[in-house]
């Protein structure tokens, strides 16, 4: 049985230890952005200003600004007559649009990464892949999703294209919450790990075409599960 809700998203977030040299708003924003990308929160889940501040152990003001920035990024939306802030619920058209953008941009980033990636970076990526494999074997969705994002992020950042990386992160920000539900699809872990293993081998071989193909396969296979999940959720709302 797949453990899709090992911990409530808020419990996983926990208190935030603020660092010197960076504003509280920037750190709160980065923390919440990473949480959304990693699937801590579900589509349609309300993100309350006061609850967020209480969970993170910070004042309300920097949280408010961080939430506004996430809304501007498309990671959150204002919804309903009470104008609550919530995680967006994607439409099928939006999901297909994100899929097509990801196929192009992430495939491109992977190709660029091959040209610059170091042996040390490949070892770190291989570690993330190993952590995913253990999480998949344990059917632990929480750890799997965190390692999945880390695996992809490390590959794309090796391309050293910060603008491109920012756009890719924006796509993950929108689709991350839905991915949590997609891991319940039959054989999702097995298909996903097949793609990740192919990507890791392509990195070791420094084969740009094979790496791009593995990333494209991963996104395409996941999109099928995401689409099925979206239809199930829509059916459940009828």
């Amino acid at each position: 049985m797949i453990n899709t809700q090992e911990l409530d998203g808020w419990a996983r977030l926990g208190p935030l230890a603020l660092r010197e040299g960076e504003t509280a708003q920037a750190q709160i924003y980065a923390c919440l952005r990473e949480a959304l990308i990693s699937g801590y929160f579900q589509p349609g889940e309300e993100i309350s200003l006061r609850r967020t501040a209480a969970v993170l152990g910070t004042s309300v003001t920097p949280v408010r600004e961080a939430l506004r920035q996430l809304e501007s990024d498309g990671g959150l939306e204002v919804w309903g007559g009470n104008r609550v802030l919530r995680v967006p619920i994607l439409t099928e058209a939006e999901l297909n649009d994100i899929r097509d953008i990801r196929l192009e941009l992430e495939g491109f980033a992977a190709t660029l990464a091959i040209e610059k990636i170091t042996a040390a970076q490949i070892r770190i990526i291989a570690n993330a892949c190993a952590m995913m494999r253990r999480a998949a074997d344990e059917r632990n969705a929480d750890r799997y999703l965190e390692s999945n994002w880390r695996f992809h992020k490390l590959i794309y950042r090796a391309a050293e294209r910060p603008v491109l990386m920012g756009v890719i992160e924006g796509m993950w920000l929108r689709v991350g919450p839905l991915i949590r539900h997609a891991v319940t699809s039959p054989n999702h872990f097995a298909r996903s790990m097949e793609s990740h293993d192919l990507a890791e081998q392509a990195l070791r071989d420094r084969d740009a075409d094979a790496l791009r193909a593995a990333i494209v396969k991963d996104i395409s296979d996941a999109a099928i599960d995401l689409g099925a999940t979206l239809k199930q959720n829509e059916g459940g709302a009828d």
Side-chain angles (χ1 to χ4, degrees):
M1 182 177 179
I2 296 173
N3 185 359
T4 59
Q5 298 292 341
E6 181 178 89
L7 287 174
D8 173 80
W10 296 102
R12 295 171 66 207
L13 203 57
L16 181 62
L18 295 176
R19 304 177 301 274
E20 294 184 3
E22 189 177 1
T23 67
Q25 177 189 335
Q27 293 178 64
I28 292 167
Y29 168 78
C31 175
L32 294 175
R33 183 182 176 91
E34 196 81 2
L36 286 164
I37 289 173
S38 297
Y40 281 29
F41 304 110
Q42 302 182 50
E45 184 171 356
E46 181 178 345
I47 306 298
S48 150
L49 171 63
R50 295 193 180 280
R51 185 178 188 185
T52 304
V55 168
L56 294 181
T58 64
S59 64
V60 168
T61 299
V63 171
R64 180 184 291 111
E65 295 307 314
L67 293 179
R68 283 176 180 168
Q69 189 172 354
L70 286 166
E71 180 191 349
S72 177
D73 290 347
L76 297 173
E77 67 179 4
V78 175
W79 180 80
N82 293 330
R83 297 186 60 77
V84 299
L85 202 60
R86 72 171 189 178
V87 179
I89 300 175
L90 296 177
T91 65
E92 185 177 2
E94 288 170 332
L95 182 60
N96 290 338
D97 201 15
I98 291 170
R99 175 202 62 201
D100 293 345
I101 293 169
R102 288 187 61 204
L103 286 170
E104 293 298 324
L105 294 188
E106 294 180 40
F108 178 53
T111 301
L112 294 176
I114 285 289
E115 301 173 4
K116 295 188 175 184
I117 199 161
T118 66
Q121 288 174 312
I122 292 174
R123 285 195 296 271
I124 295 171
I125 291 167
N127 179 65
C129 192
M131 291 176 68
M132 263 192 296
R133 192 174 296 108
R134 285 196 295 273
D137 290 342
E138 295 169 1
R139 319 297 282 175
N140 188 311
D142 286 343
R143 286 204 296 272
Y144 187 85
L145 291 171
E146 290 171 351
S147 298
N148 179 50
W149 167 235
R150 181 169 176 259
F151 177 84
H152 284 269
K153 177 172 62 175
L154 288 167
I155 293 174
Y156 307 147
R157 282 189 175 173
E160 299 179 7
R161 294 289 190 92
V163 175
L164 175 60
M165 189 68 210
V167 178
I168 290 172
E169 286 183 353
M171 294 298 101
W172 278 72
L173 179 65
R174 291 170 181 267
V175 80
L178 188 59
I179 293 177
R180 163 161 289 280
H181 291 284
V183 298
T184 62
S185 300
N187 301 317
H188 178 86
F189 282 139
R191 286 199 309 273
S192 181
M193 281 312 306
E194 180 183 359
S195 297
H196 293 140
D197 288 340
L198 289 170
E200 182 187 343
Q201 188 59 52
L203 285 167
R204 295 184 186 279
D205 296 340
R206 296 188 179 273
D207 186 332
D209 291 338
L211 179 58
R212 182 174 190 134
I215 294 296
V216 166
K217 180 183 184 303
D218 187 34
I219 296 170
S220 299
D221 288 348
I224 295 172
D225 291 341
L226 291 172
T229 299
L230 192 61
K231 286 183 172 62
Q232 289 172 2
N233 290 346
E234 288 173 349
D238 290 342

